[in-house]
Amino acid sequence: MMLWSPCSWEALNQRGLTCSRKKGKFSTLLTGYFHDNSFAVLGVSNAVPCCSFPCAALTGCWGSEQDAQCPSSMAVQKRIDCHPQPGASQEVCEARGCTWCSTDVPNAPWCFFPEDSPYGYARSGNVEKTDKGWSIHSQTNSKLYLPKRSKLILSLSVCHRWDSPLIDLFFSNQFLQITTTVPSTSVYGFGEHEHPTFKHNMDFSFANLYGVHPFYMCVEPDSNAHGVLLLNSNAQDVTLSPNPSLTFRTIGGILDFYLFMGPTPESVVQQYTEAIGRPHMPAYWSLGFQLSRWGYGSLDVLKETVDRMKRYDIPYDVQHYDIDYMERRLDFTYDKVKFAGLPEFMKELKKNGKHNVVILDPFITKDEEPGTYRAYELGQEMGVWVNNSDGVTPAVGQAWPPGDSVFPDYTNPRTVEWWTQLCLELKDVLDYDGIWIDMNEPSNFMRGQMPGCSENELNYPPYTPSISDRSLAEKTLCPDSKTYLGDHYNTHSLFGWSQTEPTFNVVQQATGKRAFVLSRSTFVGSGKHGGHWLGDNFSQWKDLRRSIVGILEFNLFGIPYIGADICGFNYNTTYELCLRWMQVGSFYPFSRNHNAEGNSEQDPAVFGDAFAKISRATLRIRYSLLPYLYTLFYESHVYGGTVVRSLMHEFTSDQETHGIDTAFLWGSAFMIAPVLEEASTVIKNGLKVPSAWRKNYATVSAPLNRIPLYIRGGYILPQQEPATTTTESRLNPFGLLIALDEQGQASGSLFWDDGDSIGKPGALL
């Protein structure tokens, strides 16, 4: 697959490229090629037009201080880890031909590659074209064959965008590593991780959570931006070094890189989503406030919650149902004792303008009495499960349902048929409007399935990235399990991604309206069919702050329908923390209060009059701005950009904005600057606002009943509670707020339709 990045010849020349339409020979200095009037990168082939870059400016861009403990070695910030797995020692390190030298720099490797020693594959002689693809002799005189559709980057130098000489490449069956320098430390992206800051600390670290998004964006010293994707679904890690450089390691697949030339952050994201799929267009109702809890326990408790929300007149559009609505946590059932009358209750909510979202998990118990559990028996008949290494017997683990569970393989077309049939049947019982797919990494409460993972190189590879307990089977299935597409070793990261599209399709089929799909596990392109929440967070101030970082990152990944569990999922929240979180969460694209079984209730009506009044006022501000938010989602769906963005994204040339992640923007015109510290009534998060927003900013205080909100130009959004006639979001009155610029001018846009019809969106006004 090739990526054409829309960048004209003139624009490329303006950015310092020396380009020619003449065809050149294969070269290790090849940086890209052109097609028509566009420039594409990260592909190598014979006789393509060449484009060279004046890269002399790279010299001296990075530090050269020597570590005081190792005066004869390279600078610490240039070290590339030669022993990334645990257990490094001087003896083992030097046996690999690497350098051992301790350092006081946190996380810096003590075992590293010598600067003047080549490693990995090196070009020797001519490139040969064979019937199997391209062939090149390595230094060991063995041959590395690439399939015809694959590409090997021998040496790519895109100046301030990508620079990876041949000696920085490892290419073996279960370990691929490549290092690239980056032009600045303004690096963003890489998911899904819980990052303390949006702009990464280049401090030799990283680890994964629920999904895989090996994409980053870098803002260059001249304020131009570019993005890079490593399209690889195998277990992987990346090391960010202060050189500055990045080292990618993956234990399978190929090194399939794509470069997106920008030059603005917004155009980088637009180009990226053009390649991976534009974000889906959400229904208007899904932009309203949503309520959830694992632990309602019974329909009576849920009814009390709904009545409490109504009594305090707190607007909300969506009610979620976690696993406690199920009969003994079995998918496609409901508890006819504790939740007796649930079908009628859901219909009553819909009559009152609300919508229902039910949860489904990706594991099916196999131990029910024969003839009593259709989901398992139909799946067994259709052969839809992930299998053991023999490719025949289903993999058996343990999860929420009683007994042992098997796992649907959503890469199998038969599984899609099975899933579609059951979801349609569930719709006839429970009148849902959307489906929330959880635990789909897939999650398993064991380390691998029964009776354990065999001793082989798939289950225990030579190198294991920095993941839980350094085990590929921890809380999931053995890597040598078999899916329709191949080994689970290669497809694990695709499980949630492969479940999202058929769920999206069946929800549309079942409802006849736009689909609501919320997935915990995501991969590159998941935003085309679903949204995401940031997973099982904690009721802590640091989690409140980090939620902004996660939301900014998922907008880079093409999943703008994103939010965090408001007030925290784990632990009991506090009055102040939950109130501040309700204020921030009122401006998440996906705004949902949710917490875990065993914790105290935390819906915004449970804390009493004062809390409810503040939450209601903030939520009504959100509702008054929904036409603007809906328009942003339309633009994201059609053009592929962000909905929420950082200040750096909009004011890239202002260096002070590059590290700001305590405030965020809706589009280009609305800024939210929340309080993120306990017992604070002023903004003291180190926020430095761009000059375009500074009017009246320094004097703003933020008592408990207030969250600072700004319109571009520095105008403070009025904090009075907007009038509303109903909690159903579509029926709220329109308003028009105009902020003139210094020239006394203003412009804007609006997209409006019926809010949930399927089809090509209409025109933007």
Side-chain angles (χ1 to χ4, degrees):
M1 183 173 73
M2 297 180 180
L3 170 73
W4 304 119
S5 184
C7 186
S8 67
W9 286 87
E10 292 74 20
L12 289 169
N13 284 319
Q14 288 173 2
R15 296 186 68 179
L17 283 77
T18 304
C19 300
S20 170
R21 284 187 169 87
K22 296 180 180 179
K23 291 186 176 182
K25 296 182 178 179
F26 186 95
S27 169
T28 59
L29 295 179
L30 183 65
T31 56
Y33 46 90
F34 288 86
H35 178 69
D36 297 330
N37 199 38
S38 296
F39 177 67
V41 293
L42 299 182
V44 177
S45 62
N46 266 339
V48 297
C50 291
C51 181
S52 62
F53 290 72
C55 291
L58 289 177
T59 305
C61 289
W62 301 288
S64 59
E65 298 86 355
Q66 303 296 312
D67 183 5
Q69 299 183 44
C70 308
S72 61
S73 70
M74 73 177 73
V76 174
Q77 64 264 34
K78 292 188 176 183
R79 294 184 180 184
I80 305 300
D81 200 341
C82 188
H83 200 292
Q85 64 270 50
S89 68
Q90 183 170 356
E91 181 180 8
V92 172
C93 176
E94 292 177 349
R96 295 184 174 189
C98 295
T99 300
W100 176 270
C101 185
S102 64
T103 178
D104 294 332
V105 177
N107 302 316
W110 289 17
C111 180
F112 51 94
F113 290 102
E115 191 170 26
D116 58 350
S117 296
Y119 52 90
Y121 286 95
R123 179 178 176 183
S124 175
N126 296 323
V127 176
E128 303 172 11
K129 187 173 183 180
T130 71
D131 57 354
K132 296 182 179 180
W134 298 103
S135 169
I136 181 172
H137 289 282
S138 74
Q139 289 183 321
T140 58
N141 292 324
S142 62
K143 285 191 174 184
L144 173 66
Y145 287 100
L146 300 173
K148 290 183 178 180
R149 293 185 64 191
S150 299
K151 304 182 287 291
L152 174 63
I153 306 165
L154 297 176
S155 181
L156 194 62
S157 179
V158 192
C159 198
H160 286 279
R161 292 157 185 84
W162 184 273
D163 179 27
S164 184
L166 182 61
I167 61 170
D168 287 339
L169 171 68
F170 271 110
F171 201 104
S172 59
N173 187 39
Q174 287 185 276
F175 184 78
L176 294 85
Q177 174 176 306
I178 190 168
T179 298
T180 176
T181 53
V182 287
S184 81
T185 58
S186 292
V187 175
Y188 310 85
F190 293 119
E192 180 177 8
H193 315 104
E194 186 185 37
H195 296 139
T197 58
F198 182 48
K199 178 177 177 286
H200 292 310
N201 295 317
M202 309 293 281
D203 60 356
F204 303 101
S205 63
F206 260 2
N208 256 28
L209 287 176
Y210 302 108
V212 178
H213 293 275
F215 170 81
Y216 74 88
M217 182 170 69
C218 181
V219 178
E220 304 155 23
D222 60 2
S223 299
N224 287 312
H226 69 271
V228 176
L229 167 68
L230 168 58
L231 188 58
N232 184 294
S233 65
N234 286 88
Q236 57 191 260
D237 57 31
V238 59
T239 300
L240 287 75
S241 303
N243 186 25
S245 66
L246 308 173
T247 298
F248 296 88
R249 300 184 191 91
T250 180
I251 61 172
I254 62 174
L255 294 175
D256 197 6
F257 283 93
Y258 297 83
L259 182 63
F260 306 91
M261 298 291 284
T264 67
E266 188 69 1
S267 59
V268 168
V269 177
Q270 290 173 340
Q271 292 159 16
Y272 180 53
T273 57
E274 183 179 8
I276 67 171
R278 300 296 200 202
H280 72 286
M281 182 67 185
Y284 194 93
W285 58 261
S286 70
L287 303 184
F289 180 62
Q290 308 186 29
L291 193 59
S292 181
R293 175 168 164 75
W294 173 31
Y296 285 123
S298 71
L299 184 59
D300 289 339
V301 174
L302 177 55
K303 286 180 176 179
E304 290 175 6
T305 304
V306 174
D307 290 342
R308 187 166 59 232
M309 293 286 285
K310 182 178 181 180
R311 185 165 64 251
Y312 283 104
D313 196 23
I314 296 174
Y316 87 106
D317 282 63
V318 186
Q319 180 61 55
H320 289 245
Y321 303 84
D322 210 325
I323 58 174
D324 40 5
Y325 84 88
M326 300 176 182
E327 179 184 351
R328 294 178 294 115
R329 298 174 175 178
L330 303 176
D331 274 355
F332 305 107
T333 70
Y334 79 93
D335 190 325
K336 296 178 178 61
V337 177
K338 294 180 180 179
F339 282 82
L342 180 61
E344 294 78 15
F345 175 76
M346 294 173 69
K347 289 182 181 297
E348 185 65 25
L349 282 184
K350 294 191 73 168
K351 288 180 181 178
N352 293 327
K354 291 184 172 50
H355 295 77
N356 300 288
V357 172
V358 296
I359 196 171
L360 291 173
D361 287 326
F363 25 70
I364 303 294
T365 185
K366 57 180 282 294
D367 291 335
E368 294 296 290
E369 290 293 326
T372 64
Y373 190 37
R374 173 168 166 74
Y376 172 70
E377 292 174 356
L378 180 62
Q380 186 75 355
E381 177 186 329
M382 297 179 68
V384 304
W385 315 123
V386 176
N387 289 320
N388 290 314
S389 59
D390 60 11
V392 177
T393 58
V396 177
Q398 293 180 341
W400 291 125
D404 299 328
S405 292
V406 288
F407 299 80
D409 171 19
Y410 293 96
T411 67
N412 186 340
R414 291 285 283 167
T415 307
V416 174
E417 295 176 22
W418 167 83
W419 183 249
T420 300
Q421 185 171 341
L422 290 173
C423 288
L424 291 175
E425 292 174 3
L426 180 64
K427 173 69 171 176
D428 292 335
V429 179
L430 300 177
D431 193 13
Y432 63 78
D433 300 285
I435 294 179
W436 164 19
I437 46 178
D438 194 15
M439 311 287 285
N440 53 350
E441 289 74 38
S443 183
N444 170 26
F445 294 170
M446 305 170 61
R447 175 177 285 192
Q449 61 263 31
M450 302 175 183
C453 301
S454 303
E455 290 285 342
N456 58 52
E457 287 197 342
L458 287 181
N459 294 331
Y460 303 97
Y463 174 74
T464 302
S466 180
I467 57 178
S468 298
D469 288 347
R470 291 272 179 174
S471 170
L472 296 179
E474 182 65 19
K475 303 300 184 184
T476 189
L477 301 177
C478 298
D480 66 354
S481 303
K482 294 294 186 287
T483 67
Y484 183 81
L485 290 183
D487 295 323
H488 187 67
Y489 181 91
N490 299 312
T491 64
H492 169 84
S493 296
L494 303 177
F495 192 98
W497 171 85
S498 64
Q499 185 189 15
T500 303
E501 182 176 3
T503 306
F504 180 90
N505 291 336
V506 73
V507 171
Q508 288 202 151
Q509 184 178 345
T511 65
K513 303 292 184 179
R514 285 183 215 156
F516 176 104
V517 177
L518 188 68
S519 177
R520 188 167 87 168
S521 180
T522 59
F523 186 69
V524 175
S526 285
K528 184 177 180 180
H529 297 109
H532 178 62
W533 85 105
L534 296 175
D536 295 350
N537 59 2
F538 292 82
S539 296
Q540 298 177 339
W541 287 92
K542 71 176 183 64
D543 291 68
L544 167 61
R545 187 190 185 286
R546 291 183 179 187
S547 70
I548 297 175
V549 175
I551 287 166
L552 292 173
E553 289 179 341
F554 271 87
N555 272 266
L556 297 184
F557 303 150
I559 308 179
Y561 191 69
I562 177 71
D565 287 343
I566 295 172
C567 298
F569 178 75
N570 293 299
Y571 300 168
N572 286 325
T573 190
T574 65
Y575 184 98
E576 182 188 0
L577 173 61
C578 195
L579 185 57
R580 290 301 193 189
W581 212 323
M582 278 298 303
Q583 291 173 333
V584 179
S586 293
F587 300 99
Y588 292 160
F590 166 58
S591 180
R592 182 185 70 165
N593 184 307
H594 177 56
N595 75 329
E597 186 179 51
N599 298 327
S600 300
E601 293 176 297
Q602 63 184 34
D603 60 84
V606 78
F607 291 99
D609 292 343
F611 190 106
K613 181 179 179 180
I614 296 168
S615 297
R616 180 178 65 241
T618 310
L619 283 170
R620 284 186 171 176
I621 293 173
R622 174 193 180 89
Y623 275 68
S624 71
L625 297 171
L626 283 188
Y628 173 61
L629 182 62
Y630 190 58
T631 300
L632 291 175
F633 270 104
Y634 167 83
E635 292 173 341
S636 176
H637 174 63
V638 174
Y639 306 113
T642 60
V643 171
V644 167
R645 61 192 66 159
S646 70
L647 273 71
M648 171 280 299
H649 203 96
E650 195 66 24
F651 304 98
T652 315
S653 61
D654 186 343
Q655 291 291 323
E656 290 185 342
T657 67
H658 286 208
I660 293 176
D661 50 23
T662 54
F664 57 97
L665 306 174
W666 277 12
S668 62
F670 179 55
M671 182 174 75
I672 300 95
V675 174
L676 303 173
E677 297 177 353
E678 188 173 8
S680 176
T681 57
V682 294
I683 302 298
K684 51 181 181 181
N685 300 300
L687 181 61
K688 297 179 179 178
V689 184
S691 57
W693 298 72
R694 284 181 185 152
K695 185 182 297 184
N696 299 324
Y697 183 82
T699 60
V700 170
S701 63
L704 270 178
N705 66 345
R706 192 168 188 279
I707 177 173
L709 304 171
Y710 295 84
I711 303 166
R712 190 158 187 160
Y715 298 96
I716 302 170
L717 189 73
Q719 293 287 289
Q720 68 267 23
E721 183 178 326
T724 182
T725 57
T726 175
T727 57
E728 186 180 355
S729 58
R730 286 289 300 180
L731 302 181
N732 286 322
F734 266 91
L736 183 61
L737 187 61
I738 302 173
L740 301 179
D741 61 18
E742 294 179 355
Q743 287 73 44
Q745 299 177 344
S747 63
S749 58
L750 172 69
F751 174 74
W752 197 249
D753 62 0
D754 66 4
D756 59 8
S757 290
I758 302 170
K760 186 176 180 180
L764 185 70
L765 303 179

